[in-house]
Amino acid sequence: MKKKIIVACGGAVATSTLAAEEIKELCSENNIQLDLIQCRINEINTFIDDVDLICTTARMDQHFGDIPIVHGMPFVSGVGIDQLKEKILSILKG
């Protein structure tokens, strides 16, 4: 079953692209089929149906029901990246 992930940032270009590439690689390495959507934070509601995970690289105070949200800045900075990958895998495999 494909997992649907939204990767969002303020501008939907630089940081979300880094995070999206890392998530694609992580899912590929773990045999997780992926439907990945890249957008701006203010566009999340447009793609929210059947989403398994939201990864943001910008500050966001909004919540979307029980959809898990992870902060993706470790994909940009490298600090805490292993813990973030473990967290994403636990959410997607859970």
Side-chain angles (χ1 to χ4, degrees), residues 18-80:
L18 288 171
E21 291 303 316
E22 289 280 353
I23 291 171
K24 286 178 193 174
E25 186 176 316
L26 179 66
C27 289
S28 176
E29 290 169 355
N30 289 276
N31 298 316
I32 297 170
Q33 292 184 349
L34 181 63
D35 181 11
L36 191 137
I37 296 157
Q38 227 179 303
C39 66
R40 292 178 180 88
I41 284 178
N42 63 359
E43 297 172 330
I44 290 174
N45 278 325
T46 306
F47 305 104
I48 204 69
D49 293 339
D50 302 318
V51 167
D52 297 290
L53 174 68
I54 298 169
C55 177
T56 67
T57 57
R59 181 180 156 88
M60 182 178 75
D61 295 323
Q62 193 173 1
H63 297 280
F64 299 91
D66 59 354
I67 299 169
I69 299 172
V70 297
H71 190 59
M73 279 311 287
F75 289 133
V76 178
S77 69
V79 177

Side-chain angles (χ1 to χ4, degrees), residues 5-16:
I5 299 176
I6 293 175
V7 180
C9 70
V13 184
T15 57
S16 64

